[in-house]
Structures are given as C-alpha cells and as structure tokens.
Amino acid sequence: DQQVKQNSPSLSVQEGRISILNCDYTNSMFDYFLWYKKYPAEGPTFLISISSIKDKNEDGRFTVFLNKSAKHLSLHIVPSQPGDSAVYFCAASAGQSGGGADGLTFGKGTHLIIQP
Amino acid sequence: DTEVTQTPKHLVMGMTNKKSLKCEQHMGHRAMYWYKQKAKKPPELMFVYSYEKLSINESVPSRFSPECPNSSLLNLHLHALQPEDSALYLCASSQGGTGTRNRMNTEAFFGQGTRLTVV
C-alpha cells in the first residue's frame, strides 16, 4: 500500500524550461510535505517543504504547490539547469506524536534529466 | 554546521559478524532516524529516536539494534545479518518540534549513508 506516489519514474526537460514533478498521496493524516533531491551514492538533500495549511511555498527557482482536496502536490523548477539532474523524492509526514519526530514516508522518486 | 556524518561509508560483513554503524550531528536536533534504502527504491523508515528515547520501531528485525548514547549520536548495531539486508543505511536528524503545528523546522537532514554489503 503506497501512501506516497510518484507515477513518473523519469522526466526529461530541456535546459531553461520548467520542470514539473508530481506527487500524489492517499493518507489524509499527512500534514507536512517535503521534496528531496538525491544524487547517486549520496544521501537525500532537503529542497523545499510545505505545510498543509498552505497551498504554495516558493524558494528561489523551486516552488511547491499543494492541492489538499486532490491530495496532490507538485514541484516546479524554473529555469531548469543541468545541475538539477537527479532523482527527486516526494516525502510526507503525519502529526502523530505531536513532537514532530514522526519519520517520513517517501515516494519512489522521479529521475529528472535536464538536457542541454 | 548542517551536517549529519555517518561512518563508515562502506561496510562488508559476514553473516556471523557483529558491526555498528555510527551517526553524528551537532545541530542540536532532538530527533534522529535510521532509514534503509535498497537500490531503485525509496528510503524506508526503520527507527525514530525522539529526545534520546526510541519512539518508533517500524517492525524491524531484532538483528538490527539501535542505540542513542546522547543527543548527538545514533548507532545501529548489526548482528547475524542476512544477504538481503545489504542496502544503503541512511541516518537523518531533525529539530523534532514541540507540536504538530510547529512543523516548519522539522525538515530532516540526511547523512551520506553507509553502503552495507552482507556476504
């Protein structure tokens, strides 16, 4: 039972254009969402997050949109750069313990390839 | 210092060996995590320590034994592993937060991982 789904295993985008990575979730208890970027043989690197009380969060070239009714979020990267080529994981957490330390549930990742 | 440091980077062990993975952070985070990642799969949560106490164990076999000696250190003791336990083991830490509404600072920072091979 996959609670966080990234249905596109890979995505190819031309340099300078917009990259849009999508993520769907099924657990209505999730209230915090994060995107991580991962290069081979490295740990995931935090990119951007969004709380369920918001529908948009922007940080430089990265914007995350959250549609709670559709249980869908997306990561927009604009403009896309060659260094953005990596695997992007969507992750979610639920406010179970109240202490914020709930651990993350990850999607399977989308391999983003930026073409020159 | 926003680093989570894991040692060793690579580890090969036999099925009868006992070894330990180590993780260290000096960000003052009070929550630390172990994740396991198999090739081409997402990281899967194993354990969560909150304020140095084990708060989540995701039904991990007892051949994996976590330990949190202090707020900066997290160990994972390994004993009698199986070849299918070969994976990348990731440590992470986060502030922990003080309530479900205070979530903006609960981003988890990950270490580079330990690539474990069980032979």
Side-chain angles (χ1 to χ4, degrees):
Chain A
D1 176 27
Q2 234 187 306
Q3 298 186 63
V4 177
K5 299 177 188 177
Q6 292 177 257
N7 291 321
S8 299
S10 67
L11 176 67
S12 185
V13 175
Q14 206 163 11
E15 182 180 357
R17 306 292 276 264
I18 182 171
S19 296
I20 301 176
L21 296 98
N22 293 304
C23 177
D24 298 291
Y25 62 96
T26 57
N27 187 342
S28 56
M29 297 299 292
F30 287 144
D31 64 352
Y32 195 64
F33 304 90
L34 309 92
W35 284 94
Y36 284 84
K37 176 180 178 180
K38 187 177 186 302
Y39 293 115
E42 292 186 13
T45 303
F46 169 74
L47 266 182
I48 192 168
S49 64
I50 189 166
S51 165
S52 61
I53 60 175
K54 295 190 169 186
D55 54 21
K56 178 183 175 182
N57 188 26
E58 193 172 350
D59 184 2
R61 295 187 299 115
F62 302 93
T63 303
V64 56
F65 295 92
L66 175 62
N67 182 334
K68 273 177 50 181
S69 60
K71 294 193 175 68
H72 176 82
L73 64 153
S74 60
L75 174 68
H76 292 212
I77 306 172
V78 54
S80 301
Q81 298 174 354
D84 295 330
S85 296
V87 176
Y88 288 78
F89 287 101
C90 172
S93 73
Q96 298 167 357
S97 67
D102 312 314
L104 299 170
T105 302
F106 285 84
K108 289 190 172 183
T110 296
H111 186 190
L112 177 63
I113 301 159
I114 305 300
Q115 295 183 332
Chain B
D1 182 7
T2 57
E3 274 196 4
V4 176
T5 304
Q6 288 187 244
T7 55
K9 286 188 171 36
H10 300 275
L11 178 63
V12 179
M13 61 185 290
M15 290 187 282
T16 57
N17 290 159
K18 282 185 183 180
K19 296 285 184 184
S20 296
L21 309 185
K22 295 185 184 305
C23 175
E24 190 168 358
Q25 56 87 15
H26 296 286
M27 295 178 277
H29 288 172
R30 303 313 299 266
M32 294 186 78
Y33 313 78
W34 280 113
Y35 286 83
K36 173 181 177 179
Q37 186 178 21
K38 302 279 276 183
K40 296 193 195 300
K41 296 280 176 101
E44 291 179 353
L45 183 66
M46 298 174 73
F47 302 104
V48 179
Y49 271 83
S50 181
Y51 292 85
E52 297 156 55
K53 287 186 169 36
L54 183 64
S55 62
I56 296 177
N57 176 343
E58 293 285 356
S59 304
V60 180
S62 60
R63 58 185 184 271
F64 295 91
S65 174
E67 179 199 17
C68 190
N70 60 54
S71 60
S72 299
L73 294 174
L74 184 66
N75 298 323
L76 185 63
H77 302 297
L78 314 172
H79 174 52
L81 294 194
Q82 305 295 311
E84 59 264 28
D85 296 321
S86 299
L88 180 69
Y89 287 84
L90 294 161
C91 173
S93 72
S94 70
Q95 281 198 1
T98 56
T100 56
R101 293 303 103 193
N102 180 22
R103 301 308 300 278
M104 292 309 294
N105 291 319
T106 58
E107 292 84 2
F109 292 82
F110 282 81
Q112 297 293 294
T114 294
R115 174 69 62 188
L116 174 68
T117 304
V118 181
V119 297

